[in-house]
Amino acid sequence: MVTIKDKYSRILSCLVILVLGISLVPVASASDIPSLPNVFEGKLIINGADVPAGTIISAYIGSELAGSKTIEEAGKYKLDVSGAEEDNGKKITFKLGLIESEPVSATYQHGAAPVKLDLSFEGDFELPVIESCSASPVYILNDGKDYSVIRAKVSGGLSEVASVTLDLTPLGGGVVSLTPESGGIYTCNVGSTLAGEFKLTLTATNSFGNQVTDDSISITVAKEDELTTRYGGADKSFSAEEIKNIVNNNEISSRIKYAILAIYFADGWDRI
C-alpha cells in the first residue's frame, strides 16, 4: 500500500532530479553567441576603373582581419565584416592588397543592417609575380669557392619591381639582393662551407611595397669526403658508367665532378 509519505518522497525525488538536470544544462554566454556580421556592398573602383573580377577585397577592424572575399563581378563587391560586440564603434578599413581605400566613414555595428558603401582606391593593389626561380647547379661543394647561380624571373604587377632578395639564413648568412638583368631576370651566386640540404626563400617587392615569396629553391652542399657515399652507388665506388652519368649531369657542379674524377683516377690513369 502506497502511503502519503511515499508519495511525497517520490515527488521530492523528482524535484531533486529536475533541479540537478537544469543545473547541468550549459547556459550560453555572450561569447558563445555567434557574431552578426556587418554586410557592406557597393561599387569598387581602382585608379578610376572597375576593379577586375578575381581581385580579393579585405576588411580590418584595427589590425585584425575581419573579412575577405574574391570579387565575382568587376566593379562591384559584397563583403561580410565579422567582429565581436566589443568592436562596436571601431573603424573598419578596406584594402586591396596593401592599398587602403580612399577615406570613408565605416564603423563596426554589431548586427547592423546591410550598408551600401562605394569604395575607391588609388595605387597598385597587385602583387609582384615570380614567374620562375631556380638554382643551378643544385649540388655544390662546401669548399667556399663552389657556388650555385640563383636565377629568378619577376614582374612587378602594375608597378616596377623594387627589389628581389634571397634569405641565406639557413646557410649562416643574411638577406642578399639579387642583381637585375634584362628581361626581368634577377641573379646571385650562393656558396657555403656548411654541408647539408637547404631550402632558400626568395622575396619580390614592388614599388608600392607589395610582396610575394617563393620557398621552392633548394641546394645541396656536399663535403668532399662524402662524395663516394653520395654518388658512388651501393658499392660506394665509381664505375665507368657512373662517372659518365655524373659528368653529364648538369645539376652537379664542376668542382664536385673534378673531385669525383680525382677519386676515380686515384689508383692510376690506366682507368681511362
Side-chain angles (χ1 to χ4, degrees), residues 43-92:
K43 296 179 181 178
L44 202 58
I45 305 298
I46 177 75
N47 300 326
D50 288 348
V51 173
T55 304
I56 296 176
I57 182 172
S58 302
Y60 293 80
I61 299 176
S63 60
E64 297 296 321
L65 179 65
S68 182
K69 189 175 182 181
T70 300
I71 297 166
E72 297 178 355
E73 183 180 352
K76 295 182 180 181
Y77 80 100
K78 185 175 183 179
L79 179 64
D80 291 354
V81 180
S82 298
E85 201 163 355
E86 56 266 28
D87 293 323
N88 271 334
K90 291 184 179 178
K91 180 183 176 182
I92 299 173

Side-chain angles (χ1 to χ4, degrees), residues 6-268:
D6 292 334
K7 289 183 179 179
Y8 280 115
S9 295
R10 291 177 182 176
I11 292 171
L12 182 60
S13 297
C14 290
L15 288 173
V16 171
I17 293 172
L18 180 61
V19 170
L20 289 174
I22 292 174
S23 67
L24 293 174
V25 176
V27 178
S29 65
S31 61
D32 295 324
I33 300 173
S35 63
L36 299 175
N38 287 173
V39 178
F40 292 87
E41 59 183 317
K43 296 179 181 178
L44 202 58
I45 305 298
I46 177 75
N47 300 326
D50 288 348
V51 173
T55 304
I56 296 176
I57 182 172
S58 302
Y60 293 80
I61 299 176
S63 60
E64 297 296 321
L65 179 65
S68 182
K69 189 175 182 181
T70 300
I71 297 166
E72 297 178 355
E73 183 180 352
K76 295 182 180 181
Y77 80 100
K78 185 175 183 179
L79 179 64
D80 291 354
V81 180
S82 298
E85 201 163 355
E86 56 266 28
D87 293 323
N88 271 334
K90 291 184 179 178
K91 180 183 176 182
I92 299 173
T93 302
F94 297 92
K95 292 184 179 183
L96 294 179
L98 298 178
I99 305 299
E100 293 186 11
S101 71
E102 295 295 293
V104 293
S105 177
T107 56
Y108 183 76
Q109 300 297 328
H110 196 66
V115 177
K116 180 173 176 56
L117 182 67
D118 295 337
L119 298 174
S120 62
F121 297 78
E122 293 291 334
D124 179 8
F125 63 91
E126 288 190 4
L127 296 174
V129 178
I130 301 175
E131 298 181 26
S132 63
C133 57
S134 61
S136 180
V138 175
Y139 303 94
I140 63 175
L141 206 58
N142 75 323
D143 59 359
K145 299 177 181 178
D146 206 359
Y147 61 88
S148 178
V149 178
I150 307 301
R151 178 185 174 92
K153 185 173 183 180
V154 181
S155 58
L158 297 179
S159 67
E160 298 295 323
V161 176
S163 66
V164 179
T165 61
L166 189 67
D167 187 356
L168 299 181
T169 301
L171 293 170
V175 176
V176 299
S177 296
L178 277 69
T179 301
E181 300 179 0
S182 61
I185 302 298
Y186 294 78
T187 65
C188 73
N189 298 338
V190 174
S192 179
T193 56
L194 299 178
E197 298 180 9
F198 303 95
K199 294 199 73 173
L200 307 176
T201 300
L202 186 84
T203 301
T205 306
N206 65 16
S207 56
F208 279 90
N210 299 327
Q211 290 186 336
V212 66
T213 62
D214 189 302
D215 60 359
S216 64
I217 297 174
S218 179
I219 65 171
T220 298
V221 187
K223 297 179 181 179
E224 188 167 345
D225 60 9
E226 68 180 20
L227 295 180
T228 302
T229 302
R230 181 180 291 274
Y231 299 104
D235 59 356
K236 294 181 175 55
S237 64
F238 297 105
S239 66
E241 185 64 26
E242 288 170 339
I243 290 295
K244 179 181 177 181
N245 292 335
I246 290 169
V247 169
N248 291 328
N249 188 340
N250 292 329
E251 292 191 338
I252 299 175
S253 74
S254 295
R255 294 186 75 87
I256 288 181
K257 292 175 183 178
Y258 289 139
I260 289 174
L261 287 172
I263 296 170
Y264 181 68
F265 291 122
D267 293 334

